[in-house]
Amino acid sequence: MRRSFFSGWFHSRDKPRNSVGGGWRFLFGGTTSGKAVNERTAMQTSAVYACVRILSESIAGLPLHVYRYKADGSKERTADHPLQRLLHDEPNREMTSFVFRETLMAHLLLWGNAYAQIIRDGRGYPVSLYPLLPDRMAVDRDPNGELVYTYQSDKGQVKLRRESVLHIPGLGFDGLIGYSPIAMAKNAVGLALATEDYGAAFFANGANPGGVLEHPGVIKPEQVERLRESWQSQFGGANAHKVAVLEDGLKFHQMSIPPEQAQFLETRKFQINEIARIFRVPPHMVGDLEKSSFSNIEQQSLEFVKYTLGPWVIRWEQSLTQALLLPGEKAAFSIRFNLDGLLRGDYQSRMQGYSVGIQNGFYSVNDVRALEDMNLLTEAEGGNAHVLNGNMVKLADVGAAYKLKETEDTM
């Protein structure tokens, strides 16, 4: 009886919802600028496309490996785990790992959720991963409180259990599903679309503002229409820069506000920064170099890795670990991205850092060569030796000399 009571309470309270307030109309609908914003129209904005592409390609290009925990608490990369080929090489016969991760990251950025169907073998190990479109997925709970994923395929609805779905949620309100950054910031994206349309229409008319033709006399309505059409055909569009000859006392009065007074260019530039702010992408990475210089671009790039890619990487790692590793493996294995390549500075800074690491014993020569993607030295060449500054002796030799000195002092 107690279990039934709590199950019902849990079901009604925590049922996932794919909407906020007005439902899908709120998420993808009209904006204050009058432009309808959805995941596809948003991608027609250059700033949105650039941000989604940068983040998707960055996540897709990171090395992704399965690691085994060792007895001493450290971890080592393993190539014999079934997930290694799936994550690093090809998740299915149709996609490479790069394309798969790029696709899911784009879904995550546009819809706020990324889904993939997990195909398992008889032992329960994943053998294939196939992306699922987020706008066709609904998340619900069964009477027992277990998550159920309902996918609307071309052949009808398919219900998938939790163990058959890799789900990476973005920022949300219930911890189960995420909400689209595009939908939550649709007014900013809508304004960007509106300014682009305004600019396109303005330059389609030869960058000439509209105006009023003034006639000194009284003309009939049909004459007004003919005069308007005649003027438009002769001096509109591609003919906008032709010289106009006015007859019968006609006068032309400019009526609309010039773009510089409406701060058209400034508005467009601000919207680029606004959209970059939504995705937490440094402006220089989407082509805005106004506040960037050689002295701060490298620092901004490192901050992009730590504060933008870092949280996304954690979402991916924890979701992959939760969905793909078997319950008995989670204490022995982990799935990790490698960010070392992106966190490296320029060549001179790297060499100075490596030099400090080698001279103080926490880097070996082979550690450095591995980071720089160089062939490793052999044991005879001292590639794995850890040395200290001064005489550059091995740590083991320093320890032996110290013990010998202690023995001599006690004799």
Side-chain angles (χ1 to χ4, degrees):
M1 185 68 178
R2 180 179 301 176
R3 179 180 179 182
S4 175
F5 169 77
F6 281 107
S7 296
W9 178 81
F10 182 75
H11 171 77
S12 61
R13 178 178 181 268
D14 292 332
K15 180 179 179 180
R17 296 185 180 274
N18 289 313
S19 60
V20 181
W24 287 112
R25 183 181 302 175
F26 169 84
L27 290 178
F28 292 118
T31 63
T32 53
S33 65
K35 293 294 180 181
V37 174
N38 57 45
E39 70 285 345
R40 289 176 175 81
T41 59
M43 286 288 279
Q44 295 174 6
T45 304
S46 60
V48 173
Y49 183 89
C51 289
V52 172
R53 183 179 179 182
I54 287 168
L55 289 169
S56 298
E57 291 179 346
S58 297
I59 291 295
L62 290 174
L64 178 60
H65 299 289
V66 180
Y67 291 87
R68 177 189 289 111
Y69 292 113
K70 301 169 67 174
D72 59 1
S74 61
K75 61 181 185 295
E76 62 179 357
R77 202 166 71 191
T78 175
D80 56 0
H81 195 281
L83 285 177
Q84 177 64 26
R85 180 197 61 81
L86 204 65
L87 297 175
H88 185 269
D89 299 324
E90 57 177 39
N92 58 67
R93 294 183 178 181
E94 302 169 358
M95 295 180 175
T96 62
S97 177
F98 184 97
V99 173
F100 174 80
R101 284 184 274 157
E102 181 184 45
T103 302
L104 259 63
M105 189 62 191
H107 291 174
L108 196 51
L109 294 167
L110 292 172
W111 278 281
N113 294 277
Y115 303 96
Q117 184 178 5
I118 306 172
I119 308 298
R120 300 181 183 269
D121 61 14
R123 300 175 299 168
Y125 285 105
V127 294
S128 295
L129 297 171
Y130 289 92
L132 300 172
L133 292 173
D135 58 343
R136 296 189 178 188
M137 182 69 77
V139 186
D140 207 337
R141 291 190 185 275
D142 63 17
N144 296 321
E146 294 294 328
L147 288 177
V148 176
Y149 295 86
T150 304
Y151 188 70
Q152 185 66 44
S153 68
D154 294 335
K155 298 180 180 179
Q157 285 190 352
V158 179
K159 289 192 177 293
L160 302 170
R161 298 188 62 81
R162 184 178 181 180
E163 57 267 22
S164 298
V165 177
L166 166 63
H167 179 198
I168 308 173
L171 177 65
F173 302 146
D174 57 9
L176 296 175
I177 58 173
Y179 292 101
S180 166
I182 296 296
M184 302 304 289
K186 64 181 181 179
N187 286 328
V189 178
L191 181 56
L193 288 170
T195 55
E196 285 190 1
D197 286 351
Y198 172 81
F202 179 74
F203 287 104
N205 289 319
N208 285 333
V212 174
L213 286 173
E214 180 185 357
H215 193 279
V218 177
I219 57 176
K220 297 180 181 180
E222 58 271 16
Q223 292 175 316
V224 172
E225 189 63 29
R226 284 200 303 270
L227 182 60
R228 181 188 294 111
E229 291 179 358
S230 176
W231 180 273
Q232 186 64 32
S233 63
Q234 294 183 60
F235 306 111
N239 300 322
H241 298 287
K242 287 186 176 181
V243 177
V245 179
L246 303 180
E247 299 177 335
D248 296 332
L250 281 174
K251 296 180 181 179
F252 177 80
H253 300 280
Q254 181 176 308
M255 185 176 178
S256 57
I257 301 174
E260 61 270 19
Q261 294 182 15
Q263 296 185 330
F264 167 67
L265 295 179
E266 287 77 4
T267 300
R268 289 209 64 192
K269 184 180 295 185
F270 177 78
Q271 288 311 113
I272 292 175
N273 287 323
E274 187 83 345
I275 291 172
R277 188 180 301 119
I278 295 169
F279 292 100
R280 204 186 296 168
V281 173
H284 78 269
M285 300 188 75
V286 294
D288 184 2
L289 301 176
E290 182 178 1
K291 297 182 180 179
S292 299
S293 64
F294 288 109
S295 61
N296 67 8
I297 277 186
E298 182 180 355
Q299 185 61 36
Q300 289 184 51
S301 298
L302 293 176
E303 289 180 354
F304 169 73
V305 176
K306 291 192 292 184
Y307 303 123
T308 303
L309 286 185
W312 287 117
V313 163
I314 294 173
R315 286 183 191 274
W316 271 82
E317 290 175 344
Q318 294 186 351
S319 296
L320 291 172
T321 298
Q322 184 182 53
L324 301 182
L325 286 177
L326 299 182
E329 294 181 320
K330 294 179 180 178
F333 295 92
S334 65
I335 299 172
R336 292 285 184 270
F337 286 93
N338 189 345
L339 292 169
D340 290 343
L342 295 180
L343 288 171
R344 293 186 301 180
D346 58 74
Y347 184 80
Q348 182 178 0
S349 299
R350 296 202 311 273
M351 293 304 107
Q352 291 175 349
Y354 294 152
S355 177
V356 172
I358 291 176
Q359 293 179 32
N360 287 275
F362 57 86
Y363 269 162
S364 70
V365 174
N366 277 346
D367 291 335
V368 173
R369 295 179 70 88
L371 291 172
E372 291 295 317
D373 199 23
M374 301 170 66
N375 293 331
L376 303 184
L377 302 181
T378 64
E379 287 286 349
E381 295 171 320
N384 294 321
H386 289 261
V387 296
L388 284 176
N389 196 11
N391 295 326
M392 302 296 284
V393 297
K394 294 182 181 180
L395 290 174
D397 294 341
V398 173
Y402 181 76
K403 290 182 179 178
L404 179 61
K405 185 177 183 304
E406 280 188 331
T407 302
E408 291 175 350
D409 291 343
T410 56
M411 292 179 61

